[in-house]
Amino acid sequence: MKSSSFNPVAPQILTFAACDDVRPEQGGKVTLIGFYGRSIVVHALPTTLPKLCFFAQFDAPSWRPGTMRVRLTSPSGNLMVETPSINVTPTEEPSVIPTEFRNAIVVIQFAPMVLSEEGVHVVEYEFPGMPPYRFQVFVAANPAPS
């Protein structure tokens, strides 16, 4: 008898963003507040942001309920923060939405967030048994003109 092993399908990432806050709205919408995209410019380093959020939208048809971890690493390679293992499931969407158009949104908030190094910071989303998704966010200081 052949044994069959479960081969998980990696969820496809649709959107990634860094921002100050993410707020759920009526009708399943979300609002991104203080959108940085992939670069964060501050007046000086080190600095403390009241909150830093990472927004990730995944393709729900390939999503399997389970756990994940999120890590943020500094340009010098130091682990800044790591979440414990988080249970995640796809967003419940109305049945009128075809399966191929459904998504799963994961919002990770760090409050407060101390940024002390200029350069490329790496955000990793890690699902068990799959290679991590890695996103780069560049942090830079741009002092206000005198």
Side-chain angles (χ1 to χ4, degrees), residues 77-128:
N78 293 322
L79 181 63
M80 296 172 63
V81 288
E82 180 176 21
T83 66
S85 190
I86 304 166
N87 286 319
V88 287
T89 57
T91 311
E92 288 295 321
E93 296 192 70
S95 59
V96 295
I97 305 295
T99 302
E100 65 269 21
F101 291 96
R102 296 181 186 190
N103 63 71
I105 293 174
V106 177
V107 177
I108 303 295
Q109 299 179 357
F110 299 107
M113 172 53 69
V114 176
L115 298 173
S116 56
E117 290 183 63
E118 185 167 271
V120 176
H121 292 65
V122 177
V123 181
E124 289 184 336
Y125 290 79
E126 184 178 84
F127 297 90

Side-chain angles (χ1 to χ4, degrees), residues 21-42:
D21 199 4
V22 178
R23 298 191 184 151
E25 304 292 339
Q26 289 183 336
K29 298 182 290 182
V30 294
T31 298
L32 303 182
I33 308 293
F35 177 79
Y36 294 112
R38 293 186 52 222
S39 59
I40 299 171
V41 178
V42 296

